[in-house]
Amino acid sequence: MISDDTECIIVEQMEEGLKIYDNPVGILTNNPPFGYHLANLNNYMNLTPCCPENRFSSSLDLQQYGMGMGAIGMPGDTSPTSRFVRASFTKFNSVCGDDEESSVTQFFHILDSVSVVKGTSLTKDGLDDLTTYSCCINTTRGIYYYKTYNNSQITAIRMTGREKCRKTLCIHELIDTQQIRYVN
């Protein structure tokens, strides 16, 4: 995925050659190819964050018994395809404030909705397949935000003018141990 402040594209090297797609959803996951993910979203156009209407039968008095029922049918497994659908739905229906903290917080909540938790997905070799980290970048202000599986606190690294002019690579230690703030 390649993006800037205004647009996002996907570049995939495929057996038949290089594929470039516009990315109207701003979401990327691994296999299957991106074109499949876009087409697959058609299967979920009935999902809504709103209260569902009874379309089953006018002869039955079917009632909503809890919130979130407009999204019944959204896939919940940890496959890339299901995670793409959930991330897309959550992104397009989430509400965010206008400030940076709200945007960053909302971004990580969206990613948390598709994070793979240790033990819920095993490789063929019996190893854990999990979301090791999540990140985003404010390209305008030059701030890289991340959190890891072991540290759910959001960490930010600013690309200051001084760091942009360095002649050597600047390495920041990854904070991968849980940061808990005790208030008493």
Side-chain angles (χ1 to χ4, degrees):
M1 184 161 81
I2 302 169
S3 65
D4 62 15
D5 294 346
T6 58
E7 61 186 320
C8 182
I9 63 170
I10 300 296
V11 179
E12 289 182 326
Q13 180 61 52
M14 306 300 292
E15 191 172 297
E16 60 275 7
L18 193 66
K19 301 278 186 175
I20 300 174
Y21 303 91
D22 284 326
N23 187 349
V25 293
I27 303 288
L28 177 65
T29 188
N30 42 357
N31 284 325
F34 186 71
Y36 173 87
H37 289 295
L38 285 180
N40 185 50
L41 288 178
N42 288 297
N43 294 321
Y44 300 97
M45 71 172 96
N46 63 310
L47 299 181
T48 176
C50 303
C51 298
E53 297 176 26
N54 176 9
R55 295 182 183 163
F56 188 82
S57 172
S58 59
S59 302
L60 297 172
D61 183 27
L62 301 177
Q63 299 292 317
Q64 176 177 319
Y65 54 82
M67 299 309 300
M69 292 179 66
I72 288 179
M74 183 164 38
D77 60 79
T78 59
S79 70
T81 303
S82 295
R83 294 170 66 223
F84 186 90
V85 171
R86 276 198 326 280
S88 299
F89 177 83
T90 305
K91 176 192 173 200
F92 283 112
N93 291 289
S94 67
V95 178
C96 183
D98 292 331
D99 61 293
E100 176 133 356
E101 277 188 10
S102 296
S103 296
V104 169
T105 299
Q106 194 71 337
F107 174 84
F108 282 102
H109 281 300
I110 292 167
L111 286 186
D112 286 346
S113 75
V114 296
S115 290
V116 180
V117 176
K118 192 177 207 177
T120 63
S121 179
L122 301 176
T123 67
K124 290 179 181 177
D125 298 329
L127 302 173
D128 285 309
D129 179 26
L130 58 108
T131 302
T132 57
Y133 73 95
S134 303
C135 64
C136 67
I137 301 171
N138 178 326
T139 56
T140 304
R141 295 183 59 212
I143 303 174
Y144 179 84
Y145 297 94
Y146 75 91
K147 65 182 194 170
T148 67
Y149 189 87
N150 296 318
N151 180 17
S152 57
Q153 177 182 332
I154 298 169
T155 302
I157 300 172
R158 287 181 279 232
M159 288 296 292
T160 63
R162 186 184 76 189
E163 288 177 317
K164 291 177 186 177
C165 295
R166 290 175 68 114
K167 296 190 186 288
T168 58
L169 180 64
C170 181
I171 299 173
H172 296 274
E173 281 296 317
L174 182 71
I175 301 172
D176 195 33
T177 55
Q178 189 61 272
Q179 305 295 300
I180 299 174
R181 180 177 179 213
Y182 293 93
V183 295
N184 62 358

